[in-house]
């Protein structure tokens, strides 16, 4: 019997689910190994639970989502969050630094129609998560590795070390040392393949904090490179604003 | 000692290519000099030098327009001899059982521009990979086929300290041909049979005594120019006796545990090995890649990391380089190239850390 796969969406942009569809060649092999039982982005055919593997995209930002994740957890043997939103809030978690009612009155004509939570939270604040796959969006190769590890009953080979190690293995020249470009690589988890440094840009921290992020020491360096407190506060507050290490560092530089 | 006209440097590259070597050497990368394939001397970063400081590297023009006035970039030759990502073998599930396949290496490569410290680093890695009960096959295959063209430095970089570590600035042995760039000419010396064979194909003449004394003056000049010094006197013991020195905590607060120092270090050899399976569970690849003592997972055993703090990881790295390497290989693990200083994003300086520990020797009373 094939294992059943479900893919769920919460508050998110769908980019991570698209990474799954983007697997193209491997998608057919994946479909051979796993029964795609629930994946609205790909098919409207829905099979009832329980599911062996649930991939969850997006963060919890409405009362409805708060209830839904409990139900999904109870229907799933393994639950893996995919992407920055599900793992550390995503861009929508930026509202956690302000009062959501202020946004509502500016954005919506009838704010009273909107039912939302004060704070956006990662999935792990609500239910037990078996594995968190990082990235904004996730990396296709890493996603396949997670599926693969699940099928072969082993731990996924997903390193938690800095992006710098990936950058250096790729033979790239450090943009911080050689160009003076601010880069979050040293405090960011590897996984993207050092995409931005390969284009002469600093890392934006899409994969969230690495295993032991020394954000304070890096922030000092960013300052030396001419970044203002406000800029430093903002640079730690992009896609992973709810990740504790980034959040704390960001708050330290808030003016 | 032979002399070669500067314009004829391309003939050396050509001769190596005719001998079947792929020539690799310094080239202009994105804001730094890196190593890559060379077709002719035109591709060398002639006329460029670097400003190198802790955590800072910038290229600039040098009016002297020499071929090799620059020193070291972020990459070392280990990227070829001990590649950052390498498939060791592939396994396939067949009806007859498991089938294993590994690919042998049959390229011939020539490294052009190996500096003295880099030569010493290669010799240190030889001890790690080859002088063992079970020599490392991928390293051995690459190392045995490589042709080395050394270059004596005519300038020292801002973080160089090879005089302290006695690993430069002049090549002692190990390379096939040594080049010394002088104002008007190159001096060439062959050190192996194949070096002599290649040298024999070049239009050289006997070097003048004037050229030899220019080379000697140049060497003295480089020695005086070292950007850093490291007092190696009793250093191994000093570090071992100061494992609880307060400086470790201090450096731990600054260190990002990013691992850059280990990636750029030409002697760091650590790797991890992973089995990569395919989705259908029929094929797998055993892949090894550079790893680092700065990664928490590197020392993960049954759920716990042996070195959870930055302090413990930096101490491990530095004491391995400068102290326990002696126990393992009867020598120091540092060749004084300064890469770890320049390419550390926060400019942590191994020579400075060692000096502070020496200055306050015994500062920790809790030593066991
Ligand atoms: S460019 Fe960024 S990721 Fe790459 S080594 Fe430098 S700091 Fe690290
Ligand atoms: S420890 Fe630093 S100076 Fe010594 S060989 Fe390694 S990179 Fe070079
Ligand atoms: S010493 Fe520098 S390069 Fe090495 S891990 Fe620490 S911060 Fe990174």
């Amino acid at each position: 019997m094939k294992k059943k796969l479900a893919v769920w969406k919460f508050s998110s942009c769908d980019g991570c689910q698209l990474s799954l569809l983007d697997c193209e060649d491997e998608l057919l092999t994946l479909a051979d190994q796993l029964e795609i039982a629930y994946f609205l982005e790909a098919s409207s055919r829905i099979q009832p639970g329980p599911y062996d593997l649930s991939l969850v995209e997006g963060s919890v930002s409405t009362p409805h989502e708060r209830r839904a994740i409990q139900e999904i957890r109870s229907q799933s043997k393994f639950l893996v969050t995919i992407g920055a939103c599900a793992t550390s809030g995503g861009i929508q978690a930026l509202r956690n630094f302000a009062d959501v009612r202020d946004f509502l009155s500016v954005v919506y004509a009838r704010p009273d129609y909107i039912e939302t939570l004060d704070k956006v939270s990662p999935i792990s604040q609500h239910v037990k998560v078996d594995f968190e796959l990082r990235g904004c969006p996730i990396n296709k190769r890493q996603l396949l590795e997670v599926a693969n590890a699940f099928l072969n009953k082993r731990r996924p080979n997903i390193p938690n070390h800095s992006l710098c190690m990936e950058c250096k293995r790729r033979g790239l020249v450090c943009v911080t040392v050689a160009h003076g470009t601010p880069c979050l690589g040293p405090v960011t988890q590897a996984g993207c393949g050092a995409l931005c440094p390969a284009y002469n840009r600093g890392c934006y921290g899409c994969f969230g904090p690495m295993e032991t992020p020394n954000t304070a020491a890096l922030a000092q360096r960013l300052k030396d490179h001419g970044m203002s407190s406000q800029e430093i506060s903002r640079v730690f507050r992009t896609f992973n604003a709810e990740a504790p290490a980034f959040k704390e560092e960001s708050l330290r530089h808030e003016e | 000692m032979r002399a070669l006209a500067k314009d004829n440097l391309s003939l050396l590259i050509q001769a190596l290519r005719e001998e079947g070597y792929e020539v690799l050497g310094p080239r202009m990368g994105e804001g730094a000099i890196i190593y890559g394939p060379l077709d002719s001397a035109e591709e060398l970063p002639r006329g460029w030098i670097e400003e190198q400081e802790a955590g800072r590297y910038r290229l600039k023009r040098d009016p002297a327009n020499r071929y090799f006035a620059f020193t070291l970039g972020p990459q070392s030759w280990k990227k070829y001899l001990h590649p950052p990502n390498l498939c060791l073998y592939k396994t396939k599930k067949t009806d007859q059982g498991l089938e294993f396949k590994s690919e042998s290496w049959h390229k011939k490569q020539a490294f052009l521009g190996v500096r003295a410290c880099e030569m010493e680093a290669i010799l240190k890695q030889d001890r790690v990979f080859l002088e063992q009960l079970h020599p490392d096959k991928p390293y051995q295959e690459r190392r045995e086929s490589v042709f080395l063209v050394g270059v004596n430095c005519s300038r020292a970089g801002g973080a160089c300290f090879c005089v302290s570590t006695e690993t430069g600035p002049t090549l002692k042995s190990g390379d096939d041909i040594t080049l010394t760039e002088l104002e008007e000419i190159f001096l060439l010396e062959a050190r192996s049979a194949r070096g002599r064979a290649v040298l024999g194909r070049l239009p050289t003449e006997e070097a003048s005594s004037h050229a030899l004394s220019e080379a000697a003056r140049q060497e003295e000049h480089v020695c005086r120019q070292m950007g850093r010094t490291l007092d190696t006197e009793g250093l191994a013991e000093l570090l071992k006796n100061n494992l609880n020195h307060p400086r470790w905590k201090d450096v731990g607060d600054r260190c990002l545990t990013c691992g850059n120092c280990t990636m750029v270090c030409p002697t760091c050899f650590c790797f991890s090995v992973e089995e990569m399976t395919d989705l259908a569970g029929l094929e797998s690849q055993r892949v090894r890649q550079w790893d680092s003592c700065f990664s928490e997972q590197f020392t993960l055993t049954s759920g716990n990391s042996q070195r959870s703090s930055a302090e413990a990881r930096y101490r491990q790295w530095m004491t391995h380089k400068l102290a326990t390497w002696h126990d393992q290989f009867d020598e120091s693990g540092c060749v004084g190239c300064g890469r770890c200083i320049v390419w550390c994003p926060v400019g942590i300086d191994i020579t400075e850390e060692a000096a502070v520990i020496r200055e306050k020797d015994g500062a920790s009373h809790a030593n066991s």
Side-chain angles (χ1 to χ4, degrees), chain A residues 163-164 167-168 173-177 183-186 197 201 203, chain B residues 260 345:
Chain A
L163 179 68
C164 297
C167 186
K168 281 286 182 317
V173 172
C174 177
V175 300
T176 286
V177 172
C183 180
L184 287 187
R201 309 181 69 151
C203 164
Chain B
N260 273 304

Side-chain angles (χ1 to χ4, degrees), chain A residues 33 148 152 154 157 159-160 162 164-165 168-169 171 173 177-180 186 200 210-212 214 217-218 221, chain B residues 30 55 57-58 75 84 253-258 260 264 275 277-278 280 290 295-297 313 342-343 345:
Chain A
Q33 308 294 319
N148 205 317
N152 289 296
R154 59 173 174 80
N157 287 323
N160 305 124
S162 73
C164 297
M165 284 174 52
K168 281 286 182 317
R169 282 191 205 117
V173 172
V177 172
H179 315 164
N200 280 328
M210 50 85 94
E211 53 196 4
T212 50
N214 189 346
L218 185 71
R221 189 73 180 133
Chain B
E30 293 287 351
Y57 175 106
R58 292 292 183 281
Q75 304 180 345
D253 288 344
R254 287 174 281 135
C255 174
L256 304 165
T257 62
C258 62
N260 273 304
V264 297
E275 197 69 31
T277 48
D278 74 330
W290 289 354
S295 141
E296 194 168 41
Q297 280 177 345
R313 286 183 233 166
V342 174
W343 298 96

Side-chain angles (χ1 to χ4, degrees), chain B residues 3 9-10 17 26 35 41-42 56 58 93-94 102 114 134 141 158 187 204 209 217 224 235 289 318 332 348 351 362:
Chain B
L9 185 61
S10 261
R17 285 161 63 92
Y35 293 144
E42 299 298 298
R56 190 172 189 279
R58 292 292 183 281
K93 212 182 237 170
T94 67
S102 67
V114 179
H134 301 287
E141 289 171 335
L187 290 181
T204 59
S209 61
R217 278 197 307 278
R224 278 195 309 270
L235 184 56
Q289 58 179 356
M318 185 170 143
S332 163
I348 292 173
T351 63

